[in-house]
Amino acid sequence: MSSGNAPSKANKTIVDRPMPRGKAEVSLSSFCFLFSEIVQYCQNRVNTTQELEKMLAEIGHNVGVRMLELSSLREKAGFKREIKIVGILSYIKDTIWKVMFGKVADSLERVTDKEDEYMIHEKDPLVNTYISVPKEYGHLNCAAFVAGIVQGILDSADFPARVTAHTVPVGADTRTTILVKFTPQVMEREKRIA
Amino acid sequence: MIECLCIIEKDNFPALLRVYSGGKDLNKYHYMCYCAIDIFEEKEQAARAGGVGKQVDSYLGTLYPAQEHKIHGYITNTGVRMVMILDEKDGKDGSLVKAFFKKLHSLHAECVSNPFHRDGQPIVSKKLERDLEALVRLWNSDAFSLR
């Protein structure tokens, strides 16, 4: 069938070759190196710890917005848009965490007295692998970057919330908690749906 | 028993010097590490004189004879030198010392990967302190193994 054709010029130029699938994983060293440079970049441009966390969160926000689009596109079984709080948070805790860190988050729980606050627990966030915060920086937690990612995802999924990362001492060790506080509009909408 | 650990970075700058003998005779250990630098340079010279093909083993073995102490040296491929001073009663095998140095090397690498690490200044890192303490305790209690 194709024997009579002129030799095809396909696969000669790079734009004709099929796009490679790409590896799903990046080495930990490359990522930590990039993240370390991001932290140093922010450090040189801010004066206080709060500003540093805010800057990391902003960078994370941009990542989160794109993360939601990308992972919902790649979902094999057809992505169903989440409309409930528990739904979107479970999606973040399981799917997004698996895509980003190769494992699901440790746990998700609701703050006992408040119905608009939820917590995602993580014993050792991957981004903090090689980070040791000196004393002058107080309670800085570079997982503010991860909190920014979560905020980006929630914002673009139409669940506006305030997301922050906290270091919680648990016995002798410390654990990182991502605290999510939803806006009143989200709570009202949730009540109407339920 | 480990008496002293020292990490010397480029320009012979002591990035880390920890003395575990209870705080007495601090100067003695500074002096011993300082003398060790000479031996390091000597070995490096020998390696360079031996031609490009000569491989230098990271673990340099016992650096120089000293009474009451055993001084071991290790050099990384980035030129960072590490000194370990044991008291003479410590009879651990050379391979264990080598494994210890490898662990110390990886701790140093993790330390440098910290974005808050400043080049040319003494290493300040809570994580390093924790890990180093655990490592030294493991060694002193004879529980350190080649794994």
Side-chain angles (χ1 to χ4, degrees), chain A residues 89 107-112 117-121 175:
Chain A
L89 285 176
S107 62
L108 165 72
E109 58 185 37
R110 210 186 73 170
V111 175
T112 23
E117 282 188 15
Y118 288 78
M119 300 193 285
I120 299 180
H121 294 293
R175 207 163 61 152

Side-chain angles (χ1 to χ4, degrees), chain A residues 64-98:
Chain A
V65 171
R66 289 156 177 82
M67 196 75 223
L68 179 67
E69 297 297 323
L70 191 64
S71 77
S72 56
L73 175 72
R74 287 184 177 161
E75 191 103 337
K76 289 189 197 84
F79 176 69
K80 199 158 155 38
R81 194 171 69 93
E82 302 286 346
I83 52 173
K84 295 213 158 94
I85 285 183
V86 180
I88 187 77
L89 285 176
S90 307
Y91 179 73
I92 292 177
K93 167 188 174 277
D94 296 329
T95 319
I96 301 280
W97 235 256
K98 191 97 213 273

Side-chain angles (χ1 to χ4, degrees), chain A residues 100-117:
Chain A
M100 293 201 296
F101 306 127
K103 64 187 229 336
V104 301
D106 290 343
S107 62
L108 165 72
E109 58 185 37
R110 210 186 73 170
V111 175
T112 23
D113 304 328
K114 315 218 176 99
E115 54 176 35
D116 58 346
E117 282 188 15

Side-chain angles (χ1 to χ4, degrees), chain A residues 36 40 43 130 132-133 140, chain B residues 114-116 118 125-127:
Chain A
S36 156
Q40 286 179 51
Q43 248 190 312
Y130 296 121
S132 176
V133 181
L140 171 73
Chain B
N114 184 7
F116 297 108
R118 291 280 160 264
S125 162
K126 282 184 274 206
K127 184 172 188 293

Side-chain angles (χ1 to χ4, degrees), chain A:
Chain A
M1 214 165 41
S2 59
S3 55
N5 290 358
S8 77
K9 286 253 160 91
N11 300 342
K12 281 285 183 67
T13 58
I14 193 162
V15 293
D16 288 328
R17 281 199 287 259
M19 215 171 79
R21 290 241 46 191
K23 286 199 292 258
E25 286 182 355
V26 169
S27 73
L28 180 66
S29 327
S30 329
F31 174 71
C32 285
F33 181 58
L34 177 65
F35 189 64
S36 156
E37 286 304 310
I38 291 176
V39 174
Q40 286 179 51
Y41 173 89
C42 295
Q43 248 190 312
N44 290 334
R45 282 161 176 75
V46 298
N47 300 318
T48 67
T49 314
Q50 265 80 351
E51 282 180 35
L52 179 58
E53 285 200 342
K54 199 153 118 19
M55 210 169 199
L56 284 175
E58 261 175 60
I59 297 179
H61 190 280
N62 288 327
V63 175
V65 171
R66 289 156 177 82
M67 196 75 223
L68 179 67
E69 297 297 323
L70 191 64
S71 77
S72 56
L73 175 72
R74 287 184 177 161
E75 191 103 337
K76 289 189 197 84
F79 176 69
K80 199 158 155 38
R81 194 171 69 93
E82 302 286 346
I83 52 173
K84 295 213 158 94
I85 285 183
V86 180
I88 187 77
L89 285 176
S90 307
Y91 179 73
I92 292 177
K93 167 188 174 277
D94 296 329
T95 319
I96 301 280
W97 235 256
K98 191 97 213 273
V99 168
M100 293 201 296
F101 306 127
K103 64 187 229 336
V104 301
D106 290 343
S107 62
L108 165 72
E109 58 185 37
R110 210 186 73 170
V111 175
T112 23
D113 304 328
K114 315 218 176 99
E115 54 176 35
D116 58 346
E117 282 188 15
Y118 288 78
M119 300 193 285
I120 299 180
H121 294 293
E122 181 83 23
K123 176 121 205 327
D124 281 315
L126 196 89
V127 300
N128 283 351
T129 323
Y130 296 121
I131 296 187
S132 176
V133 181
K135 281 189 276 291
E136 307 90 66
Y137 289 85
H139 291 288
L140 171 73
N141 190 339
C142 294
F145 178 70
V146 180
I149 296 182
V150 176
Q151 175 142 23
I153 295 178
L154 289 174
D155 278 347
S156 47
D158 205 11
F159 285 87
R162 215 170 70 91
V163 188
T164 47
H166 303 275
T167 345
V168 175
V170 171
D173 254 336
T174 53
R175 207 163 61 152
T176 302
T177 301
I178 312 250
L179 183 66
V180 183
K181 189 175 165 70
F182 290 100
T183 53
Q185 297 92 318
V186 175
M187 298 320 298
E188 220 192 272
R189 190 180 69 198
E190 188 79 4
K191 279 198 199 61
R192 269 187 284 129
I193 303 178

